[in-house]
Amino acid sequence: MSPEDIGIVQASFKRCSQHMEFIDNFYQRFMETSSDVTARFANVDMDHQVVMLRGSLELMLGCVHEQDPAQSLAALAELHSRRGVDIPPQLYDYWLSSLLSTVRAYDHECDAELLAAWERVLSPGIRCMKAGY
Ligand code: HEM
């Protein structure tokens, strides 16, 4: 992940965020990936989930500036671990693939290289969430 990647991804997130329904659409795609995902959100109200998804994205894009992503994500990783809301590692792959397909749908400048940059930027944080399980 390079400084160029971060700039490219933040610009893409800005273009996507101009569409009011971007986060809702991400949420819908994520829910459709697996009954495992749906089940984990069964008791969380939808408005809160949408706020959570936007927050999670802002955090993941912001934390790339931190020296040690493991430290800034530690509390969040603990919350998602088997000691908390119990999110097994493979659900992060659904999270990422739903996000990338939503970016493809909403960013008119999207191409394969842009999606690869998104993946490079988010991978360290995702690795850290999975490792905390
Ligand atoms: C890198 C990916 C993710 C990030 C950055 C992230 C971030 C967050 C944040 C910021 C919260 C709110 C914490 C709080 O209220 O203090 C949260 C809660 C939660 N997340 Fe994630 N999340 C991620 C992936 C996932 C995945 C894959 C699932 C699987 C279904 C999931 C399920 C949940 C649940 C169930 C809650 C608790 C909601 C509640 O009870 O209020 N998250 N997440």
Side-chain angles (χ1 to χ4, degrees), residues 22-41 49 52-53 56 80 87-102:
F22 171 68
I23 293 288
D24 277 345
N25 193 272
F26 170 32
Y27 168 74
Q28 262 161 31
R29 286 171 199 256
F30 183 40
M31 289 297 142
E32 281 163 14
T33 52
S34 149
S35 53
D36 242 16
V37 172
T38 326
R40 285 189 162 69
F41 283 113
Q49 292 166 44
M52 195 275 280
L53 279 183
S56 72
H80 288 71
I87 307 304
Q90 72 271 18
L91 296 193
Y92 293 96
D93 300 334
Y94 297 149
W95 185 89
L96 181 63
S97 63
S98 318
L99 175 60
L100 295 183
S101 76
T102 319

Side-chain angles (χ1 to χ4, degrees), residues 7 13 25 31 41 44 50 59 63 77 80 84 102 114:
F13 183 49
N25 193 272
M31 289 297 142
F41 283 113
V44 184
V50 168
L59 188 129
C63 86
H80 288 71
T102 319
L114 177 79

Side-chain angles (χ1 to χ4, degrees), residues 1 63-75 124-126 128-129:
M1 186 219 317
C63 86
V64 297
H65 297 296
E66 302 279 336
Q67 282 292 322
D68 179 6
Q71 205 172 343
S72 59
L73 286 179
I126 291 177
C128 152
M129 298 288 282

